[in-house]
Amino acid sequence: MNNVSPLKVPVILVAGFDADTMAIATMALGWDLPKAVAVRHDLDPTRDTLTRTVSDATGLIEKEELELDHACASCALREDVVPTLERLASSGQWDAIVAQLPATASPAQVCRVSAWDPARVPHVRISAVVAALSDTTLEGDLLGDELLCEVDLPVREDDRRGLAETACALVEYADVVFTPGDIETDGRDLINALMRPGARLLDSVSALDGAELTTGLHHCETSDEWVAEVRRGPLPSPEGEAWVLDVHSDRPFHPDRLMEFIAVLGGGPRRSRGCFWLPTRPHQLCIWNGAGGQLSVGTEEDWGRDESPLTRITVVGLDGGRDALAAAFEACLLTDAEMEEHGPYWEAFEDGFEPWLGPIHRGSMTEAS
């Protein structure tokens, strides 16, 4: 019986929004790695098609257009991007793969398949995630208030994701943020405040070192810890013009006051993310995710049995609204008098957040109290 593990081929993922910027990064890395294969996926949501293009130093190898039931980035990753990476890696023909993902696609999905379900991609090793961003539209992409469906991007008409929220999440997850040209000081400081410690900002094609990116910059667990909704440890303090407001408490938000101040906390040209809880929903882990004045709140799971609820929101900005945000956060928390009179767990049939968090589960209230 042969127990030898298959040879894993390093894969560099190139993600972003601007097709030209992503293509620049992909081509630069391809030239830097003459024994690599490049694969590019492009979505056409108007026709529900996905085009896959594969090439190497010898030229075009294959180009195929696939029909999808639902032409979105997540479907493309699941149905063709991940299987194609494994097919190319298992062929043994190339030393590395440079994969240009569909515009707006999250590289985290591919990385998590590789890390959590390696049997699906036994020959693939994600070595680096490159976020390729336009240097000419950088600040608007990261802090603007447009939706993806409102700009010239290959997304479905019903894609209501915020451009800034999606772009900031990409920067936060990446190992390398690449822009083809120099960026202004404010933009540089903003990226440095968003990036995971240890990630790199490269603002020229010559700075991209393909050989270095194949050595293994990416560690899925480290990236996931940085982008997690619940973060309990200290955060680094940024340098420069960008500021980070990290506000946290073991107390829940008062639902009425949160509704009153939510536009202050989630509005403006800033990036905010984190978690919170409400006394009406003591077991429900509520997620806060916003940028550029677009805010989404929701819930995916409950707090763990041995996990203390936490209210923590981290805001990154360049404007002068930091003090107002800190005051609004404090105003939303339960007061000493409310904690003493009612405690942190309240009996309630509704709290106003049902459209976003779903109905209150009465059983969990009884258990909590």
Side-chain angles (χ1 to χ4, degrees):
M1 181 177 180
N2 186 1
N3 293 320
V4 177
S5 299
L7 177 66
K8 290 183 177 291
V9 177
V11 175
I12 302 171
L13 300 178
V14 177
F17 303 89
D18 181 70
D20 292 339
T21 304
M22 288 192 290
I24 290 171
T26 300
M27 288 188 291
L29 290 168
W31 281 109
D32 210 27
L33 297 166
K35 295 183 179 180
V37 62
V39 55
R40 171 174 174 166
H41 284 85
D42 295 291
L43 277 171
D44 184 347
T46 63
R47 299 171 55 234
D48 282 329
T49 59
L50 174 69
T51 300
R52 180 203 323 120
T53 306
V54 180
S55 58
D56 66 4
T58 66
L60 180 66
I61 296 173
E62 63 181 53
K63 185 171 185 177
E64 183 176 358
E65 183 177 275
L66 309 171
E67 293 186 2
L68 299 176
D69 292 334
H70 189 270
C72 69
S74 294
C75 294
L77 293 176
R78 181 180 63 253
E79 295 184 23
D80 196 74
V81 174
V82 170
T84 296
L85 293 179
E86 172 58 23
R87 173 170 63 87
L88 296 175
S90 65
S91 71
Q93 298 182 58
W94 299 284
D95 293 345
I97 300 173
V98 181
Q100 181 177 326
L101 301 180
T104 79
S106 169
Q109 293 180 253
V110 181
C111 296
R112 288 165 185 163
V113 168
S114 177
W116 300 349
D117 192 8
R120 286 183 58 188
V121 284
H123 297 86
V124 168
R125 172 175 63 84
I126 306 301
S127 63
V129 173
V130 177
L133 302 179
S134 170
D135 50 279
T136 60
T137 62
L138 182 66
E139 194 167 325
D141 291 343
L142 294 173
L143 297 179
D145 61 0
E146 294 177 301
L147 302 177
L148 292 179
C149 61
E150 296 174 338
V151 294
D152 186 20
L153 289 171
V155 299
R156 298 179 64 89
E157 292 181 355
D158 59 354
D159 193 333
R160 304 294 295 176
R161 291 177 294 163
L163 171 62
E165 179 184 321
T166 310
C168 286
L170 176 58
V171 170
E172 289 158 353
Y173 192 82
D175 305 298
V176 170
V177 177
F178 163 76
T179 62
D182 291 337
I183 56 178
E184 299 293 333
T185 301
D186 283 358
R188 182 180 298 275
D189 291 342
L190 178 61
I191 288 177
N192 285 328
L194 293 169
M195 281 195 312
R196 184 187 74 251
R200 306 173 187 178
L201 171 58
L202 307 177
D203 57 1
S204 69
V205 173
S206 61
L208 279 176
D209 186 337
E212 182 183 19
L213 297 188
T214 62
T215 59
L217 293 180
H218 184 75
H219 300 279
C220 189
E221 183 177 351
T222 302
S223 294
D224 281 346
E225 287 177 355
W226 182 251
V227 301
E229 292 89 4
V230 181
R231 297 190 289 179
R232 295 187 183 272
L235 299 179
S237 299
E239 298 179 356
E241 295 299 320
W243 50 261
V244 174
L245 176 66
D246 177 29
V247 281
H248 48 87
S249 173
D250 59 359
R251 296 187 181 188
F253 280 146
H254 189 293
D256 293 342
R257 292 199 296 274
L258 176 58
M259 194 69 75
E260 178 184 355
F261 286 100
I262 197 166
V264 177
L265 286 171
R270 310 173 190 114
R271 166 60 164 159
S272 62
R273 64 184 180 99
C275 62
F276 65 99
W277 63 295
L278 299 173
T280 49
R281 305 165 181 267
H283 287 294
Q284 206 166 22
L285 193 170
C286 303
I287 297 167
W288 182 286
N289 192 5
Q294 304 288 343
L295 174 67
S296 61
V297 295
T299 183
E300 294 182 359
E301 58 186 13
D302 290 344
W303 297 101
R305 183 174 296 273
D306 300 321
E307 190 177 17
S308 299
L310 172 69
T311 298
R312 183 175 190 176
I313 297 176
T314 304
V315 188
V316 178
L318 288 168
D319 64 344
R322 179 173 178 170
D323 292 342
L325 285 172
F329 179 86
E330 290 297 326
C332 289
L333 295 173
L334 293 193
T335 64
D336 291 342
E338 289 166 339
M339 291 288 289
E340 184 176 350
E341 181 178 358
H342 303 290
Y345 310 127
W346 296 359
E347 289 283 353
F349 290 98
E350 58 183 25
D351 57 12
F353 280 88
E354 288 76 17
W356 304 279
L357 306 178
I360 293 174
H361 298 293
R362 299 284 296 169
S364 64
M365 293 299 306
T366 303
E367 180 183 347
S369 54

